[in-house]
Amino acid sequence: MGVTCSLLIGCSGELSVVDPAGPAARTISTLWWVMLAGAAAILGMVLVLLGAAFRAKENGDADETAGIKVWIVGLGLVFSMSVLAALTVYGLHVGHRLMPRAGADVVAVSAEARQWNWRFAYNNRPGHTTDGVLHIPAGRPVDVAITSLDVVHSFWVPRLAGKLDAIPGHVNTLRIEADMPGSYQGLSAEYNGPGYRAHVFTVKAHDAEAWDAFMSGAEQ
């Protein structure tokens, strides 16, 4: 895994998709590695069969060539289709697990996008908003109700969850959660005009004491 990560963009740092800091992001990261392993298995099998076919052709062995054709159908097709079917079932199962569900400890917040700002509001602290910084409690699931005031944006905190579009006139809900207190980088991962690269925000995860202080207004 370490060798693979050294060859890939985004395997470390604040915007890493395979350095998860929460359960949703961890599930997505696992799915990514499973998909990569399945793709590598299919590619490896295809390369082996391709090499065997070229060797049989060079040798001019009719029996070997006929045998290779059987292997291509038996492994190249059946194996590949089986792997793809398994990956599809696994992906659907994982996707279902990522859907928001009601719970006593779920925190509800909202995210409102515009060019070029994010404004966040908190259901348990009516009337209070923050610009550019979303405050959440660490170790608790948070449902983010996402919308936009102008064009389509995209809410994404790679280390905490997948991304979800912010659509004008529509609300999409994303479940995020941070394992530990800390700051996590977020961004709008949707091109929405000149300046979109600076359309970023921060998620600040608090421990229980700091979260209670924020909810009571002692911390802004």
Side-chain angles (χ1 to χ4, degrees):
M1 183 180 296
V3 174
T4 304
C5 268
S6 67
L7 300 176
L8 298 174
I9 297 174
C11 287
S12 62
E14 289 298 322
L15 298 178
S16 173
V17 295
V18 287
D19 183 21
R26 196 156 37 248
T27 298
I28 293 170
S29 177
T30 300
L31 174 62
W32 189 91
W33 286 111
V34 169
M35 292 289 186
L36 179 63
I42 292 174
L43 177 61
M45 180 59 65
V46 169
L47 291 177
V48 168
L49 293 174
L50 184 63
F54 275 115
R55 187 185 65 180
K57 184 177 180 180
E58 290 176 356
N59 293 338
D61 189 330
D63 292 337
E64 185 176 359
T65 300
I68 292 298
K69 290 180 179 179
V70 174
W71 282 98
I72 289 175
V73 173
L75 288 180
L77 182 59
V78 175
F79 174 79
S80 298
M81 294 300 292
S82 298
V83 171
L84 290 174
L87 290 176
T88 299
V89 172
Y90 178 71
L92 292 173
H93 172 68
V94 167
H96 180 71
R97 287 168 49 195
L98 290 173
M99 297 297 293
R101 290 179 174 80
D105 60 341
V106 176
V107 175
V109 303
S110 63
E112 185 181 74
R114 63 173 66 81
Q115 296 170 314
W116 307 102
N117 181 53
W118 285 92
R119 174 163 292 177
F120 303 103
Y122 307 86
N123 287 24
N124 292 335
R125 191 178 174 184
H128 183 73
T129 61
T130 55
D131 288 341
V133 179
L134 171 60
H135 297 266
I136 66 171
R140 291 178 62 184
V142 178
D143 283 350
V144 186
I146 304 165
T147 191
S148 170
L149 290 181
D150 42 38
V151 299
V152 175
H153 301 277
S154 182
F155 181 97
W156 191 28
V157 189
R159 298 192 66 208
L160 298 185
K163 73 181 184 73
L164 196 61
D165 284 345
I167 302 172
H170 183 76
V171 176
N172 288 324
T173 302
L174 178 69
R175 171 69 57 86
I176 68 173
E177 184 176 341
D179 291 330
M180 302 292 293
S183 294
Y184 304 91
Q185 185 66 43
L187 72 159
S188 179
E190 181 81 25
Y191 178 77
N192 42 40
Y196 83 101
R197 289 187 179 181
H199 197 195
V200 298
F201 60 94
T202 300
V203 175
K204 186 175 182 181
H206 301 273
D207 59 27
E209 182 178 355
W211 176 248
D212 289 340
F214 176 77
M215 283 289 99
S216 66
E219 179 182 333
Q220 300 298 317

